[in-house]
Amino acid sequence: MKAIRTVLLAAMTSMALVATGCSVIRGQETASDYMDDASITAAVKAKMIEDKTVDAGAFNVQTLNGEVALNGFAKSATERARAGQIASAQKGVRAVHNNLVIRPANK
């Protein structure tokens, strides 16, 4: 189980680095800021994976200059709020933009 979690965390970190790599090239932030943002993104996703009350696979986490944006779909207001709490508790996070949309339950 630990091996799967480690591989998953490494994959998410790699994806975060690739997805945000263009911002450094375009001069939007320094390489140091970029690495800080990538580590914040990876840490937030890892905490969401560990927390069984949120579906981390349904959320997209992006960080720019210490501001975390959560995008995707939540199953409930409680899940949406918990995702925001997890992100805001991470060291280095200056602000959280919780853009999660609550998807109505299928009947």
Side-chain angles (χ1 to χ4, degrees):
M1 189 62 162
K2 280 189 175 186
I4 293 172
R5 195 166 82 197
T6 302
V7 169
L8 186 58
L9 180 59
M12 286 189 317
T13 302
S14 298
M15 289 183 346
L17 291 173
V18 170
T20 58
C22 296
S23 63
V24 173
I25 294 169
R26 291 188 307 240
Q28 293 178 349
E29 57 183 325
T30 67
S32 174
D33 290 340
Y34 163 74
M35 289 306 295
D36 291 343
D37 288 344
S39 64
I40 289 170
T41 298
V44 169
K45 281 297 264 186
K47 293 288 185 188
M48 286 186 181
I49 289 169
E50 290 175 4
D51 192 306
K52 301 301 179 196
T53 62
V54 296
D55 180 8
F59 307 146
N60 180 12
V61 179
Q62 295 177 324
T63 308
L64 182 62
N65 297 325
E67 295 190 17
V68 176
L70 303 175
N71 298 296
F73 297 96
K75 294 176 186 139
S76 66
T78 303
E79 182 180 34
R80 181 182 188 274
R82 181 65 185 138
Q85 290 170 346
I86 291 169
S88 64
Q90 182 58 42
K91 181 181 175 194
V93 173
R94 295 183 339 178
V96 175
H97 304 282
N98 193 338
N99 304 316
L100 296 174
V101 176
I102 299 170
R103 181 174 287 176
N106 293 335
K107 292 185 178 184

